[in-house]
Amino acid sequence: MFLEKVWGKTGSKIYGPTAGEDYQDNQLRFSLFCLAALEAPRVLSLDSSKGFSGPYGEDVVFVANDWHTALLPCYLKSLYQSRGIFMNAKVAFCIHNIAYQGRFAFSDFSLLNLPDRFKSSFDFMDGYDKPVKGRKLNWLKAGILESHMVFTVSPYYAQELVSGVEKGVELDSYIRKTGITGITNGMDVQEWNPATDKYTSIKYDITLFRSPMQSHY
């Protein structure tokens, strides 16, 4: 049911049949995704290094990304830590694009299998009529409030998100409350060096390029 949205049976459309329209089962699908992410380090045999094979165990950090994973810290607290499991685990929540927040009808809270104490973290009011008018669930808001750390993809974007209602898309006040860290995107310059990359058929470096002003036609 989850993977059919991914592997082409719906034309590789993951979120909805058309732009701006959600699949009716999105909340169920992504809640299952969050539960699977929590189970994985406890049960899967994962090769993390030479000489090690087996489950990671419970002392892990979950890196959750955007609204689709926002239930992860909620389930961590309600389903695991309440039973003495994952007591040292933490969730770092990364915002890639704050415009996408996972807003749903507030009456759908019962679908999430969470205690009522989490309602306030999801509770959200806006002036839009979609998916319903007025009071809504906001998954991204809950992810921000329930995670142990909030970060984003650059220091500049972190400043943007707390600069006001417009740039923070109505979540700026909650981000100011929790704090946010901007981490610059980067890469391994040795592995991804075009002058030596074994997967690049033509090697090049900065000396092979000239500015338009230096070009002659």
Side-chain angles (χ1 to χ4, degrees):
M1 180 180 64
F2 179 83
L3 291 177
E4 71 174 355
K5 303 292 196 306
V6 180
W7 298 121
K9 292 185 179 180
T10 55
S12 299
K13 294 177 179 175
I14 298 175
Y15 308 112
T18 59
E21 183 180 354
D22 287 328
Y23 289 122
Q24 291 300 308
D25 61 352
N26 271 358
Q27 291 188 93
L28 174 59
R29 291 170 58 235
F30 289 111
S31 65
L32 288 173
F33 181 60
C34 292
L35 289 169
L38 284 160
E39 276 297 297
R42 299 180 67 233
V43 300
L44 294 183
S45 292
L46 302 166
D47 296 323
S48 62
S49 64
K50 187 177 181 180
F52 174 85
S53 178
Y56 287 153
E58 297 187 9
D59 295 338
V60 295
V61 174
F62 294 96
V63 180
N65 294 274
D66 289 334
W67 73 264
H68 325 84
T69 60
L71 294 189
L72 198 151
C74 304
Y75 288 148
L76 173 66
K77 295 173 182 178
S78 65
L79 298 178
Y80 290 88
Q81 292 181 339
S82 65
R83 295 183 292 157
I85 303 170
F86 277 139
M87 297 307 291
N88 294 324
K90 305 294 182 185
V91 179
F93 190 68
C94 183
I95 300 172
H96 294 262
N97 187 338
I98 202 168
Y100 300 100
Q101 299 181 1
R103 300 185 189 188
F104 302 95
F106 191 79
S107 58
D108 288 346
F109 182 79
S110 60
L111 301 177
L112 306 182
N113 192 29
L114 285 169
D116 284 349
R117 64 187 176 89
F118 288 94
K119 277 187 176 179
S120 61
S121 293
F122 288 85
D123 201 348
F124 189 75
M125 289 289 294
D126 64 25
Y128 299 103
D129 294 339
K130 291 184 177 182
V132 293
K133 188 173 183 178
R135 194 180 188 192
K136 296 176 175 64
L137 296 176
N138 189 313
W139 281 38
L140 191 67
K141 176 192 170 189
I144 291 167
L145 294 178
E146 296 294 341
S147 295
H148 299 91
M149 174 188 179
V150 182
F151 69 104
T152 190
V153 294
S154 77
Y156 180 79
Y157 195 45
Q159 294 173 12
E160 247 188 41
L161 296 185
V162 297
S163 65
V165 174
E166 182 179 354
K167 296 292 186 181
V169 193
E170 302 177 88
L171 294 180
D172 55 299
S173 61
Y174 304 108
I175 298 172
R176 283 194 292 272
K177 178 181 177 181
T178 61
I180 188 168
T181 301
I183 299 176
T184 303
N185 284 327
M187 65 180 185
D188 185 329
V189 295
Q190 297 303 316
E191 183 177 357
W192 299 99
N193 183 351
T196 59
D197 192 338
K198 64 181 180 180
Y199 297 108
T200 303
S201 57
I202 299 176
K203 307 296 187 285
Y204 62 92
D205 60 27
I206 195 169
T207 63
L208 298 178
F209 291 88
R210 295 184 298 180
S211 72
M213 295 298 292
Q214 294 172 309
S215 298
H216 301 282
Y217 299 97

